Amino acid sequence: CLRQINTVSKIKTQNLQVIESPSPDSNILAQLEARIPTLHYPKPQTFSRGECIQNPVRFFAILSMQRSGSGWFETLLNSHINISSNGEIFCAMDRRKNISTIMQTLDRVYKLDWFNSASKNECSAAVGFKWMLNQGLIEYHKEIVEYFNYRGVSVVFLFRRNLLRRMVSLLANSHDRYAKLLNGTHKSHVHSQEEAAALSSYKPIINCTSLISDLREVEMDAVKALEYFNSTRHMVVYYEDLITNNTKLNDVQEFLGLPRKELTSRQVKIHKGPLSDFVKNWDDVIKTLNGTQYERFLQAD
């Protein structure tokens, strides 16, 4: 597209006449702009970008829900030499107590003044973080959408298709916060099969009385987020697709306007195998979901 634009720009325009203005739906330039990430040249207050001051930076945010693969997805992104994804920064209440503190935090991230182990500040070509839907994102969505559009922030929605698997992961992770199955420590993500086996040994009991309403609530949260942030430049990614289709990671890199690299992660999947192996009252779950719109969650991914 850029080559075509450069070619067209060389044509002399004095003999051209506008026959008919294009309709909004056929406005090629607008469609092209929607496909290209906004370029930024941040001037951080805490350090100098040095020789990288002329290198453009793209802004992004990963919008997701807990136990949807966002931690694993973020480690994949951070294995790219040009990407700095700064973690779940709004898990801290003081950063999201009101819209002012949210905006201040966003400014720090996108000015490259946010430091953590994932930061490649001087020569980052894309900088962002992950943001859970229940961390002020929905509550202040109007102001955040306005900020994203004004600052040119690209949004990556990361969801999980099988919400029952997400629920099992959520219950198991909540249990381990207190049980600390790994030698008295709690880990949300692991890096070995032995650690994964230890955490997956716990089989939660699912509340079948509220199961359908709980699944519906999570489903509607995702729908609501997509509706609220529809006007932003965004793409939707599913955890299951990332696992089964390597080209999806290429799509994300292209969406962020970055050169394709092979992305890797040391994280190991905890609940690997049929869900029936990880739920204590599996028979009750089957009876509850059979014949409903959520029956598909009982099958293997």
Side-chain angles (χ1 to χ4, degrees):
C1 291
L2 291 174
R3 283 198 297 271
Q4 290 175 354
I5 289 174
N6 289 336
T7 302
V8 171
S9 66
K10 296 176 183 176
I11 300 175
K12 294 183 179 180
T13 59
Q14 60 264 34
N15 295 325
L16 298 181
Q17 292 180 325
V18 177
I19 305 300
E20 182 180 354
S21 297
S23 64
D25 291 337
S26 62
N27 191 324
I28 297 175
L29 183 59
Q31 294 177 25
L32 184 62
E33 288 175 346
R35 294 171 60 92
I36 300 176
T38 304
L39 301 181
H40 304 273
Y41 298 87
K43 296 180 179 178
Q45 296 179 353
T46 52
F47 69 97
S48 171
R49 295 191 71 202
E51 63 183 15
C52 294
I53 194 169
Q54 297 300 325
N55 290 7
V57 180
R58 286 85 167 171
F59 297 163
F60 69 90
I62 305 163
L63 308 191
S64 188
M65 292 183 275
Q66 285 84 357
R67 312 310 295 177
S68 295
S70 61
W72 170 66
F73 179 61
E74 196 171 41
T75 61
L76 287 168
L77 292 184
N78 277 323
S79 71
H80 195 296
I81 193 172
N82 300 123
I83 299 179
S84 296
S85 193
N86 292 284
E88 197 173 323
I89 62 177
F90 285 110
C91 62
M93 284 294 297
D94 61 323
R95 296 172 191 156
R96 54 182 166 98
K97 59 184 178 183
N98 54 50
I99 190 60
S100 296
T101 58
I102 287 176
M103 294 301 177
Q104 290 168 10
T105 303
L106 291 174
D107 283 343
R108 282 184 60 194
V109 171
Y110 294 129
K111 288 179 180 177
L112 304 186
D113 283 322
W114 192 274
F115 296 98
N116 66 16
S117 60
S119 300
K120 308 178 183 75
N121 294 75
E122 287 82 358
C123 291
S124 291
V127 61
F129 62 98
K130 62 177 182 175
W131 199 346
M132 302 296 108
L133 301 188
N134 62 352
Q135 294 174 346
L137 193 64
I138 300 301
E139 183 180 358
Y140 300 107
H141 69 272
K142 290 182 180 179
E143 295 90 343
I144 295 167
V145 166
E146 184 177 343
Y147 180 96
F148 280 2
N149 286 332
Y150 174 72
R151 295 297 300 270
V153 178
S154 298
V155 172
V156 179
F157 286 103
L158 177 62
F159 294 130
R160 198 163 183 169
R161 282 199 175 93
N162 194 325
L163 301 181
L164 184 60
R165 276 193 174 270
R166 175 186 175 272
M167 180 181 289
V168 171
S169 180
L170 196 64
L171 291 171
N173 186 62
S174 297
H175 170 77
D176 190 63
R177 289 182 185 276
Y178 304 98
K180 296 180 172 60
L181 299 175
L182 296 176
N183 299 321
T185 61
H186 167 63
K187 288 187 178 181
S188 295
H189 308 101
V190 298
H191 300 103
S192 72
Q193 295 295 343
E194 292 75 20
E195 291 177 323
L199 292 184
S200 64
S201 64
Y202 169 73
K203 296 184 178 183
I205 297 175
I206 292 179
N207 185 347
C208 292
T209 303
S210 62
L211 177 55
I212 291 179
S213 62
D214 290 343
L215 292 173
R216 185 180 296 118
E217 182 179 353
V218 175
E219 198 172 49
M220 291 311 299
D221 285 344
V223 171
K224 192 183 300 181
L226 286 168
E227 179 183 345
Y228 288 159
F229 287 83
N230 186 52
S231 66
T232 64
R233 180 180 184 271
H234 66 273
M235 72 178 300
V236 181
V237 180
Y238 288 96
Y239 170 74
E240 290 84 353
D241 293 342
L242 289 172
I243 289 179
T244 58
N245 188 349
N246 290 333
T247 63
K248 288 297 177 183
L249 288 175
N250 291 336
D251 294 343
V252 174
Q253 294 177 77
E254 182 179 344
F255 175 73
L256 295 178
L258 297 173
R260 290 183 184 180
K261 303 289 183 182
E262 183 179 351
L263 306 182
T264 59
S265 173
R266 292 177 52 243
Q267 283 192 16
V268 174
K269 186 175 174 63
I270 295 174
H271 296 94
K272 191 174 182 179
L275 263 180
S276 55
D277 292 346
F278 307 113
V279 179
K280 196 166 187 178
N281 59 332
W282 182 246
D283 290 340
D284 295 333
V285 173
I286 292 177
K287 291 176 184 177
T288 302
L289 296 186
N290 267 339
T292 72
Q293 66 189 93
Y294 304 116
E295 183 177 3
R296 66 187 185 278
F297 294 159
L298 300 171
Q299 308 302 319
D301 292 333

